[in-house]
Each structure stands twice: as C-alpha cells, then as structure tokens.
Amino acid sequence: MDHPRPQLRIGDGSVRLQIDTKLSKNWGSGGTDNIFEAQTPAIDSLENRDSSNVDSGSTSRPTVHAPEKKLTLFALQLAVLQKMATGLGALGSIWATVVLLGGYAIKLTRTDFWFITIILLIEGARIFSRSHELEWQLQSTWSIADAGIYSFRALKLSSSFVIRAMKGMSGPIESQSPEIKEKNNEAKPSNRLTRTVRIQKEMNNEERPSNRLTRTWTSSEVPLLPYAGWFFLSRNISKLFYWLQWLSALACISLSVVRLVQLRHGDAIERSSDTKNERSALIVFYGLATAEAFLSLLEKVYWEWTIFYHKLLEEVNEDCAFGSSDRISIERFFYNAYSKCVDGSIFDGLKLDLVSFATELLASDSSDEQRIGARILQKFSTNPRFAHDTLQKIGTSTSVIERLVEMLNWKNPQEADIRLAAAEILSKLAGKKQNSLRVAGIPGALESISSLLNNQRSSYGASGETLESESVNSRENEFSAFNQLGLSILKKLASDHDNCEKIGNTRGLLPKIIDFSRTGERLLRNSHDKDSRIMAAKKSLQVLKLLARTSGTAGKHLRQDIVEIVFTVTNIREILKYGEKYPILQTLGIEILISLTFEVEATERIGSTGGIIKELLRIFFQEQIPRDQNLVGVAAGEAIAKLALKCDRNCCRILNQGVLTKLVEALEDPVLRINSARILRNLCTYAGEDCFVELKGVSAAAPTVLMGIMLAENKLQEVMLGLATQVFRLMDPQEASITFDQTGINEAKLSKKLLEILKVYQYPSAKVPRMRRFAIELAIWMMENNKATVQTFRAMGMKEELQILAETTSEIESFDIFDGTVGLSRHSTAIHVLVDNALELLADGS
C-alpha cells in the first residue's frame, strides 16, 4: 500500500512528529474527525471567516472610487466661484468708500450717490446672507426638516439672518400642537420625523417620553416671539427668500449696467463734475458690481443645473447604494465639504470622505446626527464594494468602536434604529480576528452585546411550546432583529479562543445564549427555515458549539458552566426528538454534546438525561435520509461512541436499548461502519463484567472485522483493528478458529497483514494515531492465544520491526480522543509498554 509517511526529525536525542496540516472533514469515513484525530491549529481560519461579507483585502482587489469625490469636486468648484465673487464684492466696497465717497463725495451727482448707496446695500445684504448661509443650511438639515417644511431649493438661496431670527421668535418646534404635528407628518411622509415616529410606534405601539435631559437652548428653540409657530409651517417663506436672493443679484446687475450705459454716452453726468477720473472711477465701481453679481448668479445657475437638472445628489446617492430616505446624508456631507472649502482653503473639502464624516457624526450629541452617521456606516459596511475599506477604517479607531458599543445600551425607542445600525456594523466588524479582539477588549463590550439579547418567551411552558397569541408574537418581532445581531456578534467573537473565555466570564450571558436554543415540538414541526426563532436557535447552537470546543483550562471551565445550566441538554434533546425538519440544528446539538463529553462528569450527566441516548441511536439508524447524505446520523454515531468511552453506566444504557444486533449489521454500511465499530469496541472494553453475556453477540461481527483488516485502509482499517482484539477476547479458541476457517483467512495471513501495517506506519500518523497500537494489541492476543503464532512472527521479522517501532513511539499514540492538539482520555497502557510486552512474548515464546 502506498501510504504517505510523516517526516521524522531527529535532533538532540528527541523525536519530533511532523503532523499533516491538511485535515479534512470527511463525514463518510468517520464523522467530524475532530476528537478521534490530533489536529494542527488552522492558522488562517480566523482571518478568513466571514469572507462572504467582507473582502479578504488581497492586493488583487480592484480599486473602488469613492462616489463622494464628485461632491467634493463640485464643492471646490462652487467655492472658487463664491470666493471670486466675494473678493470682487469686497474690492467694490473698498473702491466705493475710499475712491468715490472719499475722493469724489462732493462732486458725485445725486443719481450716482443713490445708485452707489443702493448697490452697496444690496451687496452688503447678499454678502452677509452668504456668510451665514452654510450655517443655516447645516442647521436646517436637522431642525427645519423635522418641522416638516424642509425644502432643498429654499435652503440654498434663503437669507440666513432673517430666517434664524424669525425661527427663534416662533418658539420651540416641539411646542406645536399635536394636531399641527400630525398634519405636517402626513404632508411630508418622507421626512425623518415621520420615519422616527413610525419606528417608535412599531417598537411599542405607543408614544414614550425621551429619557434624554436637555440643559441648554438650541438656536431652533429660543422663543423670541411666542405664538408664531404657524409662520414656519408655510412653504411660501422659503420660496420668498429663495427669489429675494435671485432678485438682489439681478437688481445689482441691472442698476450697474444702466449706469454704465449712461456713463458711456455721457448724458447722465452733469457737465460740472464730468471729469475723466470721476467717470473712470464710476465705471470701475459699476464694473466690479456687475462682475460680482454675475459671478454670484453664475454660481447659483451652476448649482441649479448640477443639483436639479443633472441630479448630482441623486447620482451619488445611487452610487453609494443608499435609499431615498438616506439622501439627507449625502446633502449633509455636501454642505460640510462646501463649508470647509469656503471657510478655509478651497482644497480642504477634498480631504473629506463619507466614512470619516460618519464617524464624526457618531460622536455628536444630536440624535439626528448620530442616526445619519450610523446609517452611512451601516450601508457601507454591508455593501461588498465598500465593506473592506469601511471596516478597516472603523477597526483602526478605538473611539469609534467604543461609541458603537455604547450605542448598544440605548433603550430609548426613538433611538432604536441607531442601536440596530450600530449592532449591524459591529456584527460585520467582528468578522475579522483583529477587529473581534478589539471589540471584545473594550470594557463592558460583552455586557453591551448581552443587552441585545432579550428572549420574550418567559411565559412559555416548560417544554418550550409557543403560545398562539398576538401579544407574544408582537413582542418576539420587536426584539428579533436585535437578538439575531447579538447572537451573530457573539458567534464571530467566539471564533477566537481568548474571546470565548471572556464570554464565559460575562455575568448572565451564557444562560441567555442557551435560552435561545429552546424550541419545542410545535415550533420545530410547524415553522420554517426563515422563522426568526429557528434562526435564533441555530445561531445560539453555533455559539455554544464554539464555546464548548474551546481548548485549555478556559475550555474546561466553559464546558462545566454549560453543563451546569440545567436547560442545556434538555433543549438539545427536544431538537433531537422533534427536529427532523432541521438536520442542521440536530447536527449542531450533537456536536455540542460531543464537546461537552470531554469532561468525565458531563459524560455521565448527558447519558443520564432521559431520552438522549435513545434519540441518538434513533438518528444513527434512521433510514429516511439517504445514507450518503446522513451527516447528522454520522455525528450521532460519534456522540454515542464518545458517551460509551470509559463510562460503564452509559455502556449499559446503550445495551439496554437492544441495538447490539443493529450495530453489528451496521458494520456492513459504508457510512455507519466506522462509528459502529467504535461504539462496539467501547462497549466491549468498558461495559463491565455484568454485560458479558449480552456482549457475546458481538462475536458475530468477527468475519466482517477480519475482512476489514485485510482489505480496508486508513480509518476503517484502524477501527477494525481496535474492534478485532475486543471481539476475539469474547471468543474461546475454538470459536476463533471457526471464524478463521469461515473467512479463509488463517492466522499466518493475518500475521503477515499486521507486519505490513507496522512497516507502512513506521512513524505515528495524525490521521490514524491508534493504528500501530491496535495492531500490536492484536498481535499480542494472537501470540497469547496460540503459541505457534510466535514462531510465525519470528520468521516474518516481527522482532526487528518492533525494535524499530520502539524508537518512534509518540505521545500521540497514548490517547483515545483529542481536543485539537491536546490529547484527552489517556490509554491505560502506554504504547511503549505494549511494544515491550510483544518483544517479551517473541523472546520467550510464553
């Protein structure tokens, strides 16, 4: 047989075993391959998890251009026009005050004096309005939008001073009557106030007061003039200021052009003051005024054409994959970039991006700003195009992660959407090992995640059956999203060993996780895969599986804590009993049981739980599912084998089910034979003398076992070797001789095969760590049972082979099961002792 041999490295008198790193999961050949083989740690598994949601970040990842670059470029272009106009306006004002009014004040005609005065007043009002316009725009995206009169066109071209003063006189927006509020909400169903109220009503079906205490006045609340709230409910106010700005620019151009034409023809200036310098000074002033007003109009026309005709905001909103309700986020970002370009360098806005903008908004005290920031990060972190860069940027900022974790504790129904967005962002963020460690490392993070879990089934019966009432279903729907996200975050955090220990140490978290695994007959038989309770049960089991598989001292304590919770095993029993529609749930439950049996006390406790062994055996032998697809059945076989390992009570419980004949017959089944052989071997080894009579039926498997040794390879050959020794020990020499005759395999052929196996496996194998042990045990039985076999082995060179083997023994051959790279359940007889016993038999023949 052509078997790959592990490499042996010898140095300084030590022997080191190089274990294969490719340990595949092969259900058809013996189960999950988790506990019966030693495994090397999967180095990349944690880094590559959640790859379906987040790009792996490789260098081959295509470059994605940020959609918001279009907005920052547009803001730069507008800022250039505005700064040019502002500069010309300032120059015109200086020219008028210093040159005209300072040098020609006495000589100016009454017409020019009033033209200059009116133009300066118009320009002054426009410059003042423009200097406060962005402040008004930024404020309006929160307060005016909530009041139900938000108009994008009006915001851009309105007068900020007048609006803010009038708004202050109107009193707090919150002081409006409920009837007016309701009317505005119906008139503007797309604004954020309506959306917030709708979310609030869906959460608890009634209005609740906010828990937030406001100690300062905002610009939108100062009641300068009470009883004027009605004034701001009219759209005409916005339109009025919109047209006033246009008219002021047009008026300035008109007045300036008229005077320029009159000056050109020379018929509008009295001859007494019509000097060359005066005329030139007036032409320069009116030219500056015309240019300044023209640039202002050009900026507004360019704004209108780009925003409303070219629909730049809608285009960027679509490129970002935002919904219509998220358009306010794009507007807010644009105003922010435009403000930076105008207030500072024109290039300052180019440095902005939506992710940084959103993280700044998260730190705000305004719930509206927090909502927009959370929504932006939520959209980007769930979009495959932007997820990698977004999560990478969030993951490097501890303050942002802390803020997101803090939001998980918010219980105000009006902030439910912010909390939900924060939970979804953290769920995506925890998909990378480095980020998951940062999230779990924040003080109070796991307590915050625990606050998401709220299982509203405390009124259910002990069996976990749901109550068919609208109130219960309503409460479940309220918390379903938070439960799913909370369990998803825990699942990703639990993929790291260090986080598992923290999860186990978090007070009250483990019982919450286990509580979601509660199902019941009615739920399992009458629900569907997309049922939120089934999905929550699945994620709960996935988290428990990861926690139960934790290695080391932390894993030992975790398994003890899980078993001590009285509902753990009973919840799994209900899934095994009624969950035939959900094999994935049954498989997860069985894998949890397998992991829990690493602890001796847990093995007895699980076996003593009524119905567990019965249901595992039923699943193991079930015929409804095709054998090649019966993954849950194979897992059940592995669990039964583990329960029987070194536990005489569980062995008796298995035998009391009357399945011995079925187990022997299962040795012929290609899917079940490996675990069936393991179960039979453990029953024969650990059942005790009281069950000897019942175990005599195992002798019927001897022919199948012999054929398996001679023809099989790898794991099947290993388990058949292990079972052979136990089967032959239950038989007297005469029965064994009859078996050899029936199969046509005499002891000489079997001896030769054993020698071949030892030659092939000159070094321990991680895939079949007990192969050499079982071969030596069978050889010892053969030599003890028939002295003639000693001579056969001597002639074949068994002594020399054993001497070579004695130099390559390893700790990997001393254990029945493994927890990763850690051996558990040590054999009573060490491998080197078996080798010495075999050599002694070969030496003296006794």
Side-chain angles (χ1 to χ4, degrees), residues 28 33 58 157 200 335 372 538-539 586 626 714 738 781 831 841:
D33 293 355
S58 62
L157 300 168
Q200 178 182 350
Y335 288 144
I372 287 182
K538 178 181 176 182
K539 290 183 178 180
Q586 291 182 326
N714 300 325
I738 294 174
W781 175 85
I831 181 68
L841 289 172

Side-chain angles (χ1 to χ4, degrees), residues 521-805:
E521 179 180 4
R522 184 174 299 180
L523 174 61
L524 291 170
R525 291 185 173 175
N526 300 327
S527 59
H528 51 81
D529 291 342
K530 300 302 181 181
D531 190 303
S532 61
R533 294 165 295 179
I534 295 296
M535 295 172 64
K538 178 181 176 182
K539 290 183 178 180
S540 171
L541 293 173
Q542 289 172 334
V543 175
L544 288 175
K545 174 187 171 183
L546 292 171
L547 295 178
R549 288 310 311 269
T550 306
S551 58
T553 305
K556 183 180 182 66
H557 292 158
L558 270 172
R559 287 187 287 272
Q560 291 174 349
D561 292 341
I562 293 173
V563 171
E564 286 175 359
I565 297 176
V566 295
F567 298 109
T568 303
V569 180
T570 54
N571 288 351
I572 295 175
R573 180 186 60 190
E574 297 299 305
I575 294 173
L576 298 181
K577 189 174 183 179
Y578 304 113
E580 59 273 1
K581 286 176 57 179
Y582 305 102
I584 182 62
L585 297 184
Q586 291 182 326
T587 303
L588 288 170
I590 293 171
E591 289 175 344
I592 293 170
L593 294 179
I594 293 172
S595 299
L596 294 179
T597 55
F598 288 168
E599 309 305 320
V600 177
E601 183 182 351
T603 302
E604 166 61 26
R605 186 174 296 186
I606 293 171
S608 63
T609 301
I612 282 288
I613 291 179
K614 177 182 177 181
E615 294 302 325
L616 288 173
L617 288 168
R618 180 186 62 80
I619 293 173
F620 182 62
F621 292 116
Q622 65 184 347
E623 299 179 357
Q624 291 82 356
I625 303 176
R627 286 299 188 185
D628 57 344
Q629 301 177 14
N630 191 7
L631 305 184
V632 62
V634 176
E638 184 175 323
I640 298 168
K642 183 60 186 70
L643 287 171
L645 183 65
K646 294 186 177 180
C647 185
D648 56 345
R649 293 184 179 180
N650 284 343
C651 289
C652 292
R653 293 184 181 110
I654 294 172
L655 291 173
N656 289 337
Q657 297 296 321
V659 294
L660 193 62
T661 303
K662 285 187 176 181
L663 288 171
V664 173
E665 293 173 352
L667 294 174
E668 304 287 346
D669 191 306
V671 177
L672 306 181
R673 57 190 178 187
I674 288 181
N675 281 322
S676 181
R678 287 171 176 165
I679 296 170
L680 288 172
R681 178 185 179 276
N682 290 342
L683 290 176
C684 294
T685 307
Y686 306 111
E689 297 180 357
D690 296 339
C691 301
F692 179 80
V693 177
E694 297 180 39
L695 290 173
K696 285 290 290 182
V698 179
S699 59
T704 304
V705 171
L706 284 176
M707 295 300 297
I709 295 173
M710 300 299 294
L711 302 177
E713 297 179 351
N714 300 325
K715 279 185 284 187
L716 180 57
Q717 189 177 55
E718 180 193 42
V719 296
M720 290 301 181
L721 279 170
L723 179 57
T725 305
Q726 304 304 324
V727 170
F728 286 132
R729 284 177 179 172
L730 294 173
M731 304 167 63
D732 55 42
Q734 185 178 0
E735 290 175 333
S737 177
I738 294 174
T739 301
F740 284 122
D741 294 338
Q742 287 178 346
T743 57
I745 303 173
N746 56 33
E747 295 191 31
K749 290 181 180 180
L750 183 58
S751 301
K752 182 180 179 182
K753 186 64 178 181
L754 293 178
L755 189 61
E756 289 177 358
I757 292 172
L758 294 178
K759 287 182 177 180
V760 169
Y761 294 96
Q762 290 186 0
Y763 308 103
S765 170
K767 296 293 290 184
V768 282
R770 293 165 296 278
M771 180 74 80
R772 304 197 306 176
R773 164 182 287 276
F774 291 158
I776 296 173
E777 286 180 350
L778 183 55
I780 290 174
W781 175 85
M782 292 174 65
M783 289 188 287
E784 290 177 343
N785 187 65
N786 188 352
K787 295 182 179 180
T789 309
V790 176
Q791 300 300 326
T792 304
F793 277 128
R794 286 177 178 174
M796 291 180 179
M798 175 64 81
K799 181 178 179 180
E800 292 76 9
E801 194 63 37
L802 289 174
Q803 289 174 342
I804 296 174
L805 187 146

Side-chain angles (χ1 to χ4, degrees), residues 353-480:
D353 63 85
L354 272 170
V355 177
S356 300
F357 171 69
T359 56
E360 291 176 2
L361 293 182
L362 284 181
S364 171
D365 292 330
S366 168
S367 61
D368 287 320
E369 291 185 353
Q370 295 161 356
R371 180 173 289 108
I372 287 182
R375 285 286 294 171
I376 292 175
L377 295 181
Q378 179 189 30
K379 289 288 186 178
F380 277 171
S381 61
T382 55
N383 189 322
R385 290 178 57 204
F386 312 115
H388 178 268
D389 293 327
T390 302
L391 296 176
Q392 187 177 48
K393 198 161 189 176
I394 297 174
T396 56
S397 176
T398 304
S399 60
V400 176
I401 300 177
E402 289 177 347
R403 184 61 165 169
L404 291 170
V405 169
E406 177 191 346
M407 289 178 172
L408 299 183
N409 292 307
W410 292 0
K411 299 300 179 64
N412 189 342
Q414 294 181 352
E415 298 169 337
D417 55 337
I418 303 177
R419 186 186 184 205
L420 189 67
E424 188 167 0
I425 296 166
L426 286 174
S427 175
K428 298 297 180 182
L429 192 65
K432 289 287 187 178
K433 178 181 179 181
Q434 190 173 9
N435 291 336
S436 71
L437 292 174
R438 288 180 180 141
V439 171
I442 293 175
L446 290 170
E447 287 80 2
S448 299
I449 296 170
S450 177
S451 69
L452 294 173
L453 305 180
N454 195 340
N455 196 353
Q456 297 295 311
R457 294 186 289 180
S458 58
S459 59
Y460 296 179
S463 62
E465 295 182 2
T466 59
L467 299 179
E468 297 294 329
S469 65
E470 294 182 1
S471 61
V472 172
N473 291 333
S474 175
R475 298 297 293 177
E476 284 187 359
N477 292 333
E478 290 174 7
F479 298 98
S480 174

